[in-house]
Amino acid sequence: MMKFASFENIVERIYKHVISKPKYECSISQQVGVSIVGGYMAGILCAVVSHPADNLVSFLNNSKGASVADAVKKLGLWGMFTRGLPLRILMVGTLTGAQWGIYDSFKVFVGLPTTGGVAPALPPSAA
């Protein structure tokens, strides 16, 4: 859920603050690029949020009979949040960016609009 919620907000902010033009004025390749960058950034947030729990589960799986308290004592609270985080960010960010890129490329291939951003307003000439 973190990926979807953050992706939509990130893409909306990219169009608003970085590109500074409405989505409908961007080329398809720009829109897919925004999806990839937004997906990568959403993946980073997702990795940071889920990382402590993943470290905890890994510790418990590798230490038979260990408790959550044992994990916190052994890893430390700081270690639960940071141990292996850069590699996880690289992995999850890349995978999530690629997923959104593939998904939106397929949508474009079948004639659908790319994902994310504010609902498109009609161009002034179409109103």
Side-chain angles (χ1 to χ4, degrees):
M1 287 182 55
M2 179 71 182
K3 287 180 191 179
F4 290 101
S6 59
F7 173 79
E8 292 291 335
N9 287 307
I10 290 167
V11 168
E12 182 178 326
R13 283 172 175 75
I14 290 172
Y15 281 117
K16 186 174 181 180
H17 299 292
V18 177
I19 295 182
S20 301
K21 63 182 177 179
K23 179 179 171 179
Y24 67 84
E25 289 182 7
C26 296
S27 69
I28 295 299
S29 58
Q30 285 176 318
Q31 291 179 31
V32 172
V34 168
S35 294
I36 292 169
V37 171
Y40 193 90
M41 294 172 79
I44 290 171
L45 289 173
C46 184
V48 170
V49 167
S50 65
H51 193 66
D54 288 337
N55 268 338
L56 177 63
V57 168
S58 292
F59 180 86
L60 294 174
N61 284 335
N62 292 326
S63 304
K64 299 300 177 206
S67 68
V68 172
D70 295 333
V72 173
K73 284 180 196 170
K74 174 84 172 162
L75 298 173
L77 201 54
W78 181 252
M80 286 179 63
F81 278 88
T82 60
R83 182 177 168 209
L85 184 60
L87 290 175
R88 184 169 175 80
I89 285 173
L90 180 66
M91 180 187 71
V92 175
T94 302
L95 287 172
T96 305
Q99 287 170 343
W100 283 110
I102 292 166
Y103 178 66
D104 273 349
S105 295
F106 178 77
K107 286 180 72 176
V108 167
F109 178 74
V110 297
L112 297 170
T114 58
T115 308
V118 178
L122 292 176
S125 61

